[in-house]
Amino acid sequence: MKRLLLAAFLALGFCASLPAQQTSLQMFSSSAQPSTSASSFHFALVPELAPPPSASTPFSTYASSAAALPNAPAPPQRSSSSEILYSWDLAVGYEYVHFDSAPFTSNLNGLHTDLTYNLNDWFGLEGSLVSAFGSDVFRERSKYVLYTVGGRISAGQSSLRFAPRLTPWAHVLVGGAHLNPQLARQSKNGFALQLGGGADWRYTERLSFRAEADYVRTMLYSDSQNNFQIGIGAVLHF
């Protein structure tokens, strides 16, 4: 009977200790494994590596990044033929010269050559040479040579609305003049001042036609002369 009572007490004690052991085991297992929040907290300290851009990146992404970059300079555009400025103008043509002096008067015909270096679209440095021949004076054929240099001012191409191909211009040149015939105790050479202007009509990009007129004051034969000359010709632009 005593053994039976002792076995019953032991069974009751064992049954009572089971819930406490299960609770302690659960607490131990929970403390042994890290919680989800702690795990996420520790992993948040490590920076995540961004994946490389895939080949299927939208075109709009590249367009927006390209728009953020500074714009590349636009390629130079070639202007129309009427607006092209060449550095050199070479003009060659016919020239008529009327020379009037106290000893004699002569009308001469010859060749006019002109070379201009354009510094910009309205101003250039010009050199001019006129060589003309006339009738006999004092049994000697008259000959006239005018060589001058100076500046030329141009109104610019397309300056006239009614004639866009026409380019008016004016020049002031100084230099010298050489004239035959030879007079007694007089020099054939003297100072010359040339004032005038004209207009160029552009035929093609590199070719124009020119008309001009000039007043020429010379100092020959111990005197001064007031002369004029007119000419027409062609101009090569290069």
Side-chain angles (χ1 to χ4, degrees):
M1 185 66 179
K2 292 181 179 179
R3 293 180 180 179
L4 180 62
L5 291 174
L6 181 60
F9 279 115
L10 290 174
L12 290 173
F14 177 77
C15 292
S17 64
L18 284 176
Q21 292 178 0
Q22 292 178 357
T23 303
S24 61
L25 289 173
Q26 291 177 357
M27 293 178 62
F28 177 77
S29 61
S30 299
S31 62
Q33 296 180 359
S35 63
T36 306
S37 60
S39 174
S40 61
F41 174 78
H42 290 299
F43 279 101
L45 296 177
V46 181
E48 296 181 1
L49 298 178
S54 61
S56 60
T57 303
F59 175 77
S60 60
T61 304
Y62 292 109
S64 60
S65 61
L69 298 176
N71 295 330
Q77 297 181 356
R78 181 178 175 86
S79 59
S80 61
S81 61
S82 61
E83 297 177 352
I84 295 177
L85 176 65
Y86 292 98
S87 298
W88 296 93
D89 294 336
L90 175 62
V92 179
Y94 164 79
E95 195 79 9
Y96 167 80
V97 179
H98 176 78
F99 181 82
D100 189 8
S101 65
F104 67 93
T105 298
S106 179
N107 295 316
L108 307 99
N109 300 275
L111 184 68
H112 179 193
T113 304
D114 183 282
L115 181 64
T116 302
Y117 176 69
N118 298 304
L119 298 178
N120 48 48
D121 60 349
W122 64 273
F123 183 75
L125 301 177
E126 180 180 355
S128 176
L129 177 64
V130 176
S131 180
F133 298 88
S135 58
D136 291 346
V137 177
F138 306 138
R139 298 182 181 180
E140 186 177 355
R141 188 177 184 183
S142 59
K143 180 181 179 181
Y144 172 87
V145 177
L146 178 68
Y147 46 94
T148 53
V149 295
R152 186 178 74 167
I153 300 175
S154 174
Q157 298 174 9
S158 303
S159 58
L160 302 179
R161 295 183 179 179
F162 60 89
R165 288 178 173 266
L166 202 62
T167 303
W169 53 267
H171 60 188
V172 178
L173 310 174
V174 294
H178 174 86
L179 189 70
N180 277 344
Q182 175 72 54
L183 300 182
R185 297 187 298 274
Q186 300 293 334
S187 175
K188 294 182 178 182
N189 303 299
F191 172 79
L193 171 66
Q194 180 179 353
L195 305 173
D200 295 347
W201 185 81
R202 184 174 291 272
Y203 180 68
T204 64
E205 180 179 322
R206 292 184 176 270
L207 179 64
S208 298
F209 295 108
R210 171 174 294 181
E212 63 179 302
D214 292 288
Y215 161 77
V216 181
R217 182 175 180 84
T218 57
M219 299 183 66
L220 295 165
Y221 309 137
S222 301
D223 198 0
S224 59
Q225 299 83 31
N226 298 312
N227 314 308
F228 70 88
Q229 59 188 32
I230 57 175
I232 57 174
V235 185
L236 179 63
H237 310 282
F238 60 96

